[in-house]
Amino acid sequence: MTWRPLAAPAALLALLLVTVTQVTGDTRVVGGHACVPHSQPWQVAVLDMYKLYCGGVLVAPRWVVTAAHCTTPGVTTVSLGKHRLYAREAGEQRRMVARMVAHPGYDPSTKDNDIMLLKLLSPASISDRVRPIPVASCLPQPGTTCVTSGWGATTSPEVTYPEGLQCVNGHLQGGQDSCQGDSGGPLVCEGTLQGIVSWGMERCGQPRRPGVYTKVCRYARWIHDTMEDT
């Protein structure tokens, strides 16, 4: 996805609000590292046919949370249980998306309410590699270490993409950030889903210009009600 600099809506959570620790390892995600394989079992790849379009997060066997701006132009499928996105792996699953439910207040010009639910045509089979994550009902405490993950660009502004899933904590000094292709993916704090990658500057990882995330706790009731009623 192409990111643009926009005014930060009130419903978004910037990493400026959360103090995070620096990770070590190879330069990935923009300054991150390869995740321990299958350590993020809620991670979903949202695909336009067979091409990566966005990230997503499994929150129930039949439901994925992603960003509202991640509506694909073609046939939407999701891939679960993956580390190396384009390799055959034991335990991987592919599901068709039966319905997309964007938040009714989503504004594409400001990215307000940038959150969407994907209902799968058939439920995911829960395993050690495919597992939902709880949705946060309140914000994390200052100083909490949070991790975002995805198969998005590992360099910016000239983009290159990784083979395996990448993890990053984020850092206000720059050099560590989510980037193009990570939209819709998770920001996980202490085992709960706190954020969805929404937008950032065109050049990722700039000092004091962190990526911006949809504040998931604000939408916990909407998520639960939608899953029950749809």
Side-chain angles (χ1 to χ4, degrees), residues 31-42:
H33 60 98
C35 303
V36 174
H38 310 292
S39 62
Q40 314 297 311
W42 43 81

Side-chain angles (χ1 to χ4, degrees), residues 152-226:
T154 59
T155 59
S156 179
E158 294 78 19
V159 297
T160 55
Y161 292 90
E163 182 180 2
L165 184 67
Q166 305 295 305
C167 288
V168 68
N169 291 132
H171 203 272
L172 293 182
Q173 278 65 53
Q176 295 174 297
D177 203 359
S178 51
C179 201
Q180 285 90 342
D182 292 323
S183 291
L187 179 70
V188 174
C189 308
E190 297 185 329
T192 62
L193 179 64
Q194 285 282 357
I196 294 294
V197 179
S198 180
W199 62 270
M201 304 299 288
E202 184 175 355
R203 182 169 181 171
C204 310
Q206 295 184 67
R208 304 202 66 82
R209 294 181 181 271
V212 180
Y213 299 75
T214 303
K215 190 188 299 181
V216 169
C217 64
R218 175 172 175 173
Y219 302 97
R221 176 51 54 195
W222 174 78
I223 290 170
H224 291 301
D225 288 350
T226 300

Side-chain angles (χ1 to χ4, degrees), residues 28 83-87 89 151 154 161-166:
R28 289 291 186 267
H83 178 69
R84 299 169 61 200
L85 186 56
Y86 295 113
E89 296 179 306
W151 290 276
T154 59
Y161 292 90
E163 182 180 2
L165 184 67
Q166 305 295 305

Side-chain angles (χ1 to χ4, degrees), residues 98-146:
R99 185 173 180 184
M100 296 182 173
V101 186
H103 191 277
Y106 172 58
D107 185 336
S109 64
T110 64
K111 296 295 189 292
D112 272 332
N113 305 301
D114 190 14
I115 191 168
M116 176 166 65
L117 278 164
L118 307 179
K119 186 176 185 179
L120 307 183
L121 188 61
S122 58
S125 298
I126 305 307
S127 68
D128 60 339
R129 297 189 174 188
V130 177
R131 188 173 74 245
I133 189 170
V135 174
S137 58
C138 59
L139 287 172
Q141 293 297 314
T144 301
T145 298
C146 301

